[in-house]
């Protein structure tokens, strides 16, 4: 359920926050995403979300877009791994 509901919603919130250059919104959305994926044991995604959360806390969004793209790749890898696990046997 987390994958179907939370991940797309939280990812979109992060993307919108970065587009709008809103550090508090980046922090809030990244914190929520980190909590959600931590429950799944998705450490790479949780770590990337933590980096974005810190960027939001610091208020310096210069590196946010780079980490946004890296987060998208981490999420793609997570989705592929979960899909493979569901269809393996």
């Amino acid at each position: 359920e987390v994958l179907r509901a939370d991940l797309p919603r939280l990812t979109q919130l992060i993307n919108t926050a970065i587009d709008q250059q809103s550090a508090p919104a980046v922090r809030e959305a990244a914190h929520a995403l980190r909590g959600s994926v931590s429950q799944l044991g998705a450490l790479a995604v949780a770590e990337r979300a933590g980096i974005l959360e810190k960027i939001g806390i610091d208020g310096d969004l210069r590196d946010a877009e780079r980490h946004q793209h890296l987060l998208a790749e981490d999420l793609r890898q997570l989705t592929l791994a979960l899909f493979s696990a569901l269809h393996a046997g």
Side-chain angles (χ1 to χ4, degrees):
E1 187 62 32
V2 169
L3 281 177
R4 289 186 354 194
D6 284 350
L7 292 185
R9 178 182 63 82
L10 293 171
T11 302
Q12 183 58 48
L13 286 173
I14 290 170
N15 293 342
T16 300
I18 291 171
D19 289 346
Q20 295 176 349
Q21 294 293 292
S22 174
V26 170
R27 181 194 56 78
E28 290 175 22
H31 177 79
L33 178 62
R34 186 168 57 92
S36 292
V37 297
S38 292
Q39 295 175 17
L40 295 173
L43 300 180
V45 177
E47 183 177 329
R48 184 73 55 200
I51 291 168
L52 283 165
E53 183 180 3
K54 180 160 180 0
I55 286 171
I57 289 168
D58 293 344
D60 182 358
L61 299 178
R62 285 180 290 186
D63 288 335
E65 191 171 322
R66 179 171 65 90
H67 288 287
Q68 175 187 27
H69 293 296
L70 293 169
L71 174 64
E73 178 59 25
D74 292 340
L75 287 167
R76 188 182 74 76
Q77 292 294 326
L78 172 62
T79 301
L80 289 173
L82 290 172
F83 182 82
S84 294
L86 288 173
H87 291 89

